[in-house]
Amino acid sequence: MVDIAKRLDELNPEKRRLLELLLKKERERARHSSAIRRQPRDGGEGFPLSFAQQRLWFIEQLEAGSALYNIPIVVRLVGALNLSALEQSLTELVRRHETLRTGFQLVEGEPVQVIHPPEPIAFASTDLSRLSEVERETEVRGLAEEEARLPFDLLTGRPLRVRLLKLSETKHVLLFTMHHIISDGWSLGVIIREVAALYEAFSRGEDSPLEELSIQYADYAVWQRERLTGEVLTEQLDYWKRKLDGAPEALELPTGRAQATVHERRAAHARRTLPAELTARLEELSRREGVTLFMLLLAAFKVLLSKYSGQEDIVVGSPIAGRTQPELEPLVGFFVNTLVLRTDLSEARNFTEALRRVSQTCLGAYAHQEVPFEKLVEELTPGRDINQTPLFQVVFMLQNTPRQEARLGGLTLITSDTPARDAKFELMLVAGQHHGRLELTLEYREELYEAITMARLLAHFEVLLADIVADPEQSLADLQLLTTRELRQLHLEWNRTEKPYPADSCIHELFREQAALTPETIAVTCAGEQLTYRELDRRSDLLAAYLSQRGVGADSVVGLCLERSVEMVVCVLGILKAGGAYLSLDATLPAERMLFMLRDAQAALLLTSEVLAGALPESYASPRVLIDKEWPLISALAAARDELHDACRQSRASSENLAYVSYTSGSTGVPKGVAVTHRNVMRLVCNNDYARFGADEVFLQYAPLAFDASTFELWGSLLRGGRLVVVPAGKPTLRELGEVIRDSGVTTLWLTAGLFHLMVDERMEDLRGVRQLLAGGDVLSVKHVQKFLSEAKEGSVLVNGYGPTESTTFACCHPLAGGTWDACGSVPIGRPIANTQVYILDRHLRPVPAGIAGELYIAGDGLARGYLNRPELTAERFLPDPFGAAGGRLYRTGDRARFLSDGSIEYLGRVDYQVKIRGFRIELGEIEAALTAHTQVAEAVVIAREDEAGDKRLVAYLVAGVVDDGSIVATA
């Protein structure tokens, strides 16, 4: 008593208040216990169903023929069996418990319980004694599964079956199957205890030693219906309404599979036993914190679910016996209730605080457990999905009862586990204590979760528990899930991409070397015009010399406004040779946008043509070079070429200098220029781990120069000796594009995801000669990938390429080749390419396990210098790399992804409101900012809509604004 008083004094005010509330409820229950009265049995009208029974009845009607709620018990009888005593015991058991002889009928459309008179029980008997031991056990398993799968017809039959299997004279197996509507887990213990007592008495010729039951389940059902009305119900429901107000609709766990249909509920199981030392330390911690072991394990499980889902408001279901009155304890029946345990972990600074919150949640739920789960659902009316449990999807329970075993004179009775064939919940973790160890069993829906994911979850739970007992005061973010092997795999094995490449060289230097090796090979063609490597080298030298005279040098930004052509390639190469960086300007851009880019990049010079010069903003005062008009002057420099080469060499860039600037959409309404260096490009095109490069490859140059896919097209071809086919200016039709691909013998092609889908649907014949097709910029359709692979020429490769502009075209690639491809829902983006590292991290920048969603971060030599002249934005998105060498950086992509078991990566979407259209990144916030800049628009909303095929190639923007007079204007 002293210890109890001391522990009461140590309770904080909140916990003391909850305890007092719980004790008050217990006193109220004690006062009301006599209220369960035995009802007359002569009315003939039947008895109402309890709330729990009513829910199961509804499910049974909805899923007729289902065995989902069968409760199979397998009892092994070892020793000389007195068959007559067993039959007598089971008959008496059924007589004592009316629920075991209860049927169901419809009265005026409503189900009622109908209690049948007691009868001698009859059960089927099967003799397996002539089989070998191995054959017997196989047959036992098969018959047990057959019994478990056989559904009950609640309207025409009784929800109880018994079958006896004879294995030998001293070994029998009793298969005892009930429907959950008449029984629960507690009832199994009642049944085993009573059968043992009855069998022992009847074997000796004695009468039943058991006292008659004062009430039956039907009496409880009437009492429950009467009690849960008025003030009692209101007070209980008010608590749950407050507690569950605003609860999340779903826990976003990584299923790894497409959502299953309602008929797909196959159960699978994963198991893990915790070490005895860890079990003992968990018990010690629970005693030290003044909580039950259940509360401690539940708190840890909620932390695990939070880390797996990325959510902090965690709702878990947990069954409770529901036998709130003493006279209910010896009954067989469906009393179990499910408590909805919601805990917000967002403000928990450490595990101790999270445990305190979970403890308070549990105490509050215990004090208000009288409301049946079914009544709670009825009152709260959550969004209903027949394929998902309302209010929660995950269940946790701690079983403290050991496996049932009884000795009856010369007979030993042992119950064995019968794994469920059908899963009632998406995920259910059951912890049980055996021989000083915690045994964990994870039941899950096989259609939703993969076995390897569930085994990994249990391993992570063990690591988490060990970290908790080591230091329960550490923050939730610091609590570890990953095993040592996983950490090594994530950091080293899957990111071991180092390969030698010319990191200190510039683009134009490698081109000059290639031109010296293959001077007469065709380098570039466009609409009948072509240049050899020697000619392209010479013409770009002349332009470089001219630009150097005009002041272009290292890190000088040159605005380039030209349509696709041979001249465009000459100009890009000439700018680089002069030491500058090119900034592509699309002539169709609004003048305001173009002016912003030029000013923001501080462009030193504008390079364009006479035809397009008028598209450039006149207010920008930098010098202009009209390439077509001034080419005669540039050509005149040929005589002094050697001298000019020397001048170019003195001013040219190093590998750390800018190669180009590419502007992307900005969420604040301000575009940002990505500053890409020569080294970034070297990392992209000087390795063969994701694509083939070389003299036998013909690349198509189709991407806009402002789009970083052009980096791969230009330099993947020209720096490796290939031929570059430039699509003529303008926007070709699919037929015209296909003709260029086919007639030019293109072997290497890059397409946006949307264009890839269109070409596969409408011009697949034009793609059959392509040896390697790279696609990306958005999510690839599985059906289009499958069609391409099944119809492409043998040896063709499709590469799903992923990478934001900040990582220089590609960070990850996933090659697919040969015949049809068996997908599991999406096309992975693959693994990091050479000299690139990829991490998937949680919001605290901690690595998440394989299979768990997180934000994708990129490191390595492909990372751009940052955002031009935007140091604050650069610091926000380019972070110090905690996993690599000192001075390294991580780029925060804003993309959600997860590692698959083989180390490849699955793209899951955005963490923000960015979308991609034809491969271009579009920040909806930038459009909204532009709209709200209008004097008559106070608010704006922009929505990107996909077409029926899931492509964003047809995007509708719905723009809504509130003008000054309060009216709403909208335009699509």
Side-chain angles (χ1 to χ4, degrees):
M1 292 296 294
V2 175
D3 289 342
I4 294 175
K6 182 179 179 182
R7 291 183 68 179
L8 286 173
D9 290 339
E10 292 174 349
L11 292 177
N12 61 44
E14 177 66 16
K15 191 173 290 188
R16 179 182 288 274
R17 187 185 69 80
L18 288 170
L19 179 59
E20 290 172 352
L21 182 62
L22 185 60
L23 292 174
K24 179 182 177 183
K25 296 297 179 184
E26 289 296 333
R27 288 194 296 270
E28 289 179 0
R29 291 191 189 101
R31 287 198 302 269
H32 287 283
S33 61
S34 60
I36 304 182
R37 301 183 306 274
R38 186 171 179 85
Q39 302 295 317
R41 296 299 196 266
D42 54 0
E45 296 180 356
F47 297 91
L49 274 61
S50 70
F51 288 110
Q53 285 182 319
Q54 187 173 339
R55 175 171 175 264
L56 285 196
W57 174 268
F58 173 76
I59 294 174
E60 186 72 18
Q61 306 316 301
L62 203 60
E63 301 180 38
S66 169
L68 178 64
Y69 285 94
N70 282 7
I71 301 179
I73 311 173
V74 178
V75 184
R76 290 187 177 266
L77 307 172
V78 182
L81 175 65
N82 185 330
L83 185 58
S84 175
L86 178 63
E87 292 176 341
Q88 192 177 356
S89 300
L90 295 176
T91 297
E92 174 62 11
L93 177 75
V94 174
R95 185 201 68 79
R96 283 175 52 78
H97 296 278
E98 290 179 350
T99 187
L100 295 178
R101 47 189 168 90
T102 294
F104 298 86
Q105 293 180 4
L106 290 174
V107 176
E108 296 181 356
E110 293 294 325
V112 296
Q113 301 183 66
V114 178
I115 302 169
H116 298 290
E119 297 176 350
I121 193 165
F123 51 80
S125 181
T126 304
D127 190 346
L128 305 177
S129 60
R130 295 185 179 182
L131 302 177
S132 68
E133 185 174 353
V134 173
E135 290 172 329
R136 284 199 303 265
E137 288 304 316
T138 301
E139 192 69 13
V140 168
R141 285 194 298 271
L143 290 173
E145 291 178 4
E146 179 183 303
E147 282 291 326
R149 290 197 303 266
L150 186 63
F152 288 101
D153 187 337
L154 298 181
L155 276 176
T156 61
R158 298 188 184 183
L160 169 66
R161 287 193 301 269
V162 182
R163 186 171 185 177
L164 183 68
L165 308 180
K166 179 181 180 180
L167 309 187
S168 68
E169 292 300 323
T170 58
K171 291 183 179 179
H172 294 77
V173 173
L174 187 68
L175 304 180
F176 198 89
T177 310
M178 297 176 289
H179 194 285
H180 200 2
I181 203 167
I182 65 164
S183 185
D184 57 17
W186 181 297
S187 299
L188 302 187
V190 173
I191 291 170
I192 295 300
R193 287 194 302 273
E194 291 200 356
V195 168
L198 292 169
Y199 179 85
E200 193 162 12
F202 293 155
S203 294
R204 295 194 301 261
E206 300 173 355
D207 293 334
S208 168
L210 304 176
E211 294 183 4
E212 285 297 313
L213 300 168
S214 60
I215 59 171
Q216 294 284 339
Y217 187 83
D219 305 314
Y220 159 77
V222 173
W223 172 83
Q224 184 193 47
R225 293 273 177 179
E226 292 175 347
R227 174 168 170 73
L228 284 178
T229 57
E231 185 179 342
V232 174
L233 179 62
T234 300
E235 188 272 333
Q236 292 262 328
L237 281 175
D238 283 347
Y239 167 82
W240 289 109
K241 288 177 180 178
R242 291 192 306 271
K243 186 67 178 176
L244 300 179
D245 182 43
E249 292 185 3
L251 188 62
E252 302 295 336
L253 293 175
T255 62
R257 301 182 191 273
Q259 285 291 322
T261 68
V262 68
H263 300 295
E264 296 175 319
R265 288 177 171 170
R266 294 189 303 274
H269 300 83
R271 294 177 174 82
R272 192 175 187 90
T273 301
L274 301 184
E277 179 185 0
L278 177 56
T279 302
R281 294 184 69 186
L282 288 166
E283 291 174 327
E284 178 188 352
L285 178 60
S286 67
R287 287 192 296 270
R288 191 165 69 240
E289 294 295 329
V291 300
T292 64
L293 182 61
F294 169 83
M295 293 174 181
L296 176 62
L297 294 175
L298 176 62
F301 188 46
K302 289 198 171 194
V303 171
L304 178 74
L305 294 174
S306 177
K307 288 178 177 287
Y308 261 55
S309 66
Q311 298 166 253
E312 294 178 308
D313 193 350
I314 307 298
V315 182
V316 170
S318 187
I320 192 169
R323 298 174 189 245
T324 56
Q325 309 293 346
E327 56 267 46
L328 300 180
E329 294 183 6
L331 295 184
V332 173
F334 184 18
F335 297 97
V336 66
N337 193 16
T338 303
L339 300 181
V340 185
L341 304 176
R342 178 191 183 189
T343 311
D344 186 353
L345 301 174
S346 60
E347 296 182 5
R349 293 170 298 177
N350 52 38
F351 179 76
T352 302
E353 193 167 313
L355 177 59
R356 189 176 303 117
R357 288 169 178 263
V358 170
S359 173
Q360 292 169 355
T361 295
C362 291
L363 292 173
Y366 298 157
H368 299 87
Q369 64 173 290
E370 285 193 62
V371 178
F373 176 72
E374 296 72 25
K375 187 66 175 176
L376 189 60
V377 172
E378 178 185 322
E379 292 289 334
L380 296 181
T381 61
R384 300 302 295 268
D385 181 350
I386 199 168
N387 200 32
Q388 179 178 298
T389 308
L391 301 179
F392 63 85
Q393 299 122 270
V394 177
V395 168
F396 175 77
M397 58 189 297
L398 175 64
Q399 288 185 334
N400 293 313
T401 55
R403 185 174 63 174
Q404 297 287 344
E405 182 172 331
R407 297 188 181 278
L408 317 175
L411 186 68
T412 301
L413 182 152
I414 306 170
T415 60
S416 59
D417 295 332
T418 305
R421 178 178 177 271
D422 296 309
K424 300 178 183 67
F425 310 100
E426 284 190 18
L427 205 65
M428 179 170 67
L429 178 61
V430 180
Q433 289 180 284
H434 298 287
H435 306 297
R437 296 184 173 197
L438 275 170
E439 294 182 356
L440 307 176
T441 300
L442 193 63
E443 181 179 292
Y444 59 94
R445 288 177 61 178
E446 193 175 36
E447 292 76 20
L448 294 178
Y449 299 98
E450 297 176 333
I452 190 171
T453 303
M454 296 295 94
R456 193 185 295 126
L457 182 148
L458 289 181
H460 293 157
F461 193 41
E462 180 177 339
V463 172
L464 177 65
L465 290 171
D467 210 23
I468 286 170
V469 297
D471 181 10
E473 298 299 324
Q474 61 184 310
S475 71
L476 300 186
D478 289 333
L479 287 171
Q480 183 62 264
L481 294 186
L482 297 169
T483 64
T484 303
R485 181 182 178 279
E486 285 178 310
L487 285 170
R488 184 175 63 251
Q489 191 176 58
L490 291 172
H491 289 310
L492 299 176
E493 295 174 14
W494 290 348
N495 271 318
R496 190 174 290 137
T497 62
E498 296 80 4
K499 288 186 179 180
Y501 74 104
D504 296 326
S505 297
C506 292
I507 296 171
H508 52 277
E509 290 174 335
L510 258 66
F511 174 78
R512 196 184 301 279
E513 292 175 7
Q514 184 61 52
L517 289 173
T518 57
E520 304 307 323
T521 300
I522 301 299
V524 57
T525 68
C526 181
E529 184 181 2
Q530 64 183 34
L531 293 177
T532 64
Y533 272 87
R534 185 197 304 278
E535 292 167 336
L536 179 56
D537 188 36
R538 175 181 173 278
R539 293 186 66 174
S540 57
D541 273 348
L542 294 175
L543 179 59
Y546 184 73
L547 294 177
S548 294
Q549 284 187 336
R550 300 292 298 269
V552 175
D555 275 355
S556 296
V557 176
V558 177
L560 179 61
C561 183
L562 287 176
E563 294 181 325
R564 284 188 305 268
S565 60
V566 168
E567 286 72 25
M568 181 195 75
V569 179
V570 170
C571 290
V572 169
L573 193 51
I575 293 170
L576 296 176
K577 284 184 175 183
Y582 57 93
L583 167 63
S584 178
L585 302 169
D586 189 332
T588 63
L589 284 174
E592 293 83 356
R593 174 87 170 203
M594 201 179 301
L595 181 60
F596 170 84
M597 293 165 61
L598 290 168
R599 286 176 173 170
D600 187 66
Q602 300 173 17
L605 185 143
L606 302 181
L607 185 55
T608 184
S609 65
E610 273 194 290
V611 174
L612 298 178
L616 296 173
E618 295 182 1
S619 58
Y620 195 72
S622 288
R624 304 186 182 200
V625 174
L626 305 182
I627 187 69
D628 48 355
K629 183 177 180 180
E630 298 183 41
W631 189 254
L633 179 60
I634 296 170
S635 298
L637 296 172
R641 188 179 177 199
D642 292 340
E643 291 80 358
L644 291 171
H645 276 174
D646 292 336
C648 289
R649 289 192 184 97
Q650 293 174 9
S651 63
R652 73 184 179 190
S654 71
S655 63
E656 297 296 334
N657 286 114
L658 291 181
Y660 63 86
V661 177
S662 181
Y663 274 82
T664 64
S665 188
S667 59
T668 62
V670 180
K672 51 190 183 292
V674 181
V676 179
T677 69
H678 287 261
R679 175 173 291 177
N680 301 152
V681 178
M682 293 298 101
R683 187 257 359 181
L684 175 69
V685 300
C686 293
N687 77 84
N688 294 333
D689 64 345
Y690 70 94
R692 294 190 301 266
F693 301 95
D696 58 345
E697 295 299 331
V698 180
F699 280 67
L700 187 74
Q701 204 288 298
Y702 177 59
L705 197 59
F707 188 19
D708 67 342
S710 64
T711 305
F712 168 77
E713 295 171 337
L714 285 168
W715 311 121
S717 175
L718 297 177
L719 301 191
R720 305 297 294 273
R723 176 158 56 94
L724 184 68
V725 176
V726 179
V727 176
K731 185 176 181 180
T733 63
L734 288 182
R735 181 183 60 79
E736 291 168 341
L737 179 60
E739 288 175 354
V740 173
I741 294 170
R742 188 178 61 251
D743 296 345
S744 301
V746 170
T747 63
T748 299
L749 175 64
W750 190 94
L751 297 174
T752 64
L755 186 53
F756 167 72
H757 298 156
L758 280 173
M759 290 292 290
V760 169
D761 282 338
E762 301 182 27
R763 306 294 301 181
M764 182 61 207
E765 64 275 12
D766 296 325
L767 300 179
R768 290 195 173 91
V770 177
R771 290 200 295 258
Q772 52 184 1
L773 194 157
L774 296 93
D778 209 338
V779 178
L780 294 186
S781 155
V782 170
K783 70 175 184 179
H784 289 92
V785 169
Q786 290 174 323
K787 180 178 180 181
F788 175 83
L789 292 175
S790 65
E791 297 184 19
K793 187 171 61 177
E794 185 177 354
S796 297
V797 177
L798 173 65
V799 179
N800 186 16
Y802 163 84
T805 304
E806 290 84 348
S807 68
T808 315
T809 309
F810 297 134
C812 299
C813 285
H814 187 68
L816 297 160
T820 58
W821 169 62
D822 184 19
C824 60
S826 66
V827 186
I829 59 174
R831 293 171 175 263
I833 66 173
N835 302 297
T836 304
Q837 291 77 46
V838 172
Y839 303 96
I840 299 175
L841 310 176
D842 65 17
R843 60 184 175 276
H844 304 291
L845 298 184
R846 269 73 168 188
V848 299
I852 307 304
E855 187 171 352
L856 193 150
Y857 288 76
I858 302 172
D861 291 356
L863 287 195
R865 182 190 291 177
Y867 298 113
L868 193 65
N869 303 322
R870 301 284 294 279
E872 73 293 337
L873 186 57
T874 299
E876 178 186 328
R877 304 296 293 189
F878 291 82
L879 312 177
D881 182 1
F883 312 112
R889 297 175 304 149
L890 284 180
Y891 172 65
R892 182 177 185 175
T893 67
D895 289 327
R896 291 180 68 249
R898 64 177 175 178
F899 279 112
L900 301 178
S901 299
D902 63 355
S904 60
I905 297 169
E906 181 182 21
Y907 176 82
L908 299 174
R910 293 288 301 174
V911 299
D912 54 22
Y913 298 105
Q914 186 185 103
V915 298
K916 283 199 172 184
I917 303 173
R918 296 187 297 277
F920 284 97
R921 284 157 48 180
I922 303 295
E923 294 277 4
L924 300 185
E926 181 177 350
I927 302 173
E928 290 174 355
L931 290 169
T932 53
H934 193 283
T935 57
Q936 287 189 300
V937 178
E939 298 178 18
V941 177
V942 179
I943 301 171
R945 178 171 58 85
E946 294 181 342
D947 65 11
E948 294 180 356
D951 293 334
K952 296 189 184 74
R953 52 187 168 87
L954 300 176
V955 177
Y957 290 99
L958 177 65
V959 179
V962 182
V963 296
D964 292 339
D965 63 1
S967 61
I968 296 176
V969 296
T971 178

